[in-house]
Amino acid sequence: MNEKNEELLQKYTNLFITAANEPPTNYSLNMAKLRKLILEHGLPEEQYSGEIPSICGLRGWIWKTFLEVTVLDAQFYIELNLPPACPEYEHVIIDAPRTFKHHNIFFARSDKTDAVARTLNAFFKALELKKPEFENYRCSYRQFLNTLIGPMLFVMPELDAWYCFSNFIRYHCPTYLEDSPANQTTGVKLGTDNNRSRSFYKV
């Protein structure tokens, strides 16, 4: 990483450390600082290997902050992936191998298909079983969902990616997957107030 990259990464790191230790009342101010930093300076380069990351890098921190992921429950995720699979699994296993098949790094990952399949299976399994925070949300499977989880799996661990994906679908574009005529025009609500508790991801 060159000096300019390191300097920019340090700016982001300092913002995350400061924001995570400030009261929730400063959330909007710190979020505005993060957006400004991204718009004015972009993101520093990060190197990604041939496997799904074991820890979050900067892009993972940003995803988790924008999507308000603050708690990870590995046991919950493991239990969702126990047999039997979700009813939509026959579609999931068809789409999973297609994820970014022309992207050399992502497609070369040995675990990519299994990770995409597990994350989508867990999401629809949580809906089927009406798990807490999933009981009031209903949607249908869509063929492009693997391309939504793919970018998250590219920059963060599988568990983190699943929570980001779940929050994105349920809280930020809640009608996009619903069987409703309005889903094409009112689906995306990213950045709007969804009345959830807000805090920065703690690095």
Side-chain angles (χ1 to χ4, degrees), residues 46 48 52-61 64 152-158 160 201:
E46 292 182 278
Y48 294 99
I52 289 175
S54 58
I55 60 173
C56 270
L58 174 62
R59 285 162 175 78
W61 301 351
K64 292 172 77 171
M152 299 173 188
L153 286 169
F154 193 82
V155 299
M156 68 183 87
E158 182 177 328
D160 304 58
Y201 173 64

Side-chain angles (χ1 to χ4, degrees), residues 73-176:
D73 186 342
Q75 187 60 37
F76 178 58
Y77 181 67
I78 291 171
E79 290 173 357
L80 288 174
N81 274 299
L82 293 175
C86 67
E88 295 83 1
Y89 196 67
E90 61 181 301
H91 303 294
V92 169
I93 58 175
I94 293 174
D95 290 338
R98 300 170 175 169
T99 309
F100 301 146
K101 63 186 301 182
H102 299 298
H103 192 289
N104 293 337
I105 296 177
F106 188 85
F107 198 71
R109 291 176 170 175
S110 60
D111 54 352
K112 69 174 187 321
T113 297
D114 289 342
V116 171
R118 283 191 298 265
T119 50
L120 293 177
N121 175 67
F123 180 76
F124 284 96
K125 189 83 171 285
L127 292 177
E128 178 194 4
L129 299 177
K130 297 184 178 180
K131 292 293 187 179
E133 296 192 20
F134 286 80
E135 65 268 25
N136 296 320
Y137 181 72
R138 311 310 306 161
C139 71
S140 300
Y141 185 82
R142 296 289 188 272
Q143 196 170 30
F144 59 82
L145 287 177
N146 59 309
T147 62
L148 294 182
I149 187 62
M152 299 173 188
L153 286 169
F154 193 82
V155 299
M156 68 183 87
E158 182 177 328
L159 179 63
D160 304 58
W162 182 75
Y163 272 95
C164 282
F165 175 81
S166 297
N167 280 11
F168 176 71
I169 295 296
R170 291 178 298 140
Y171 300 128
H172 297 283
C173 55
T175 67
Y176 197 64

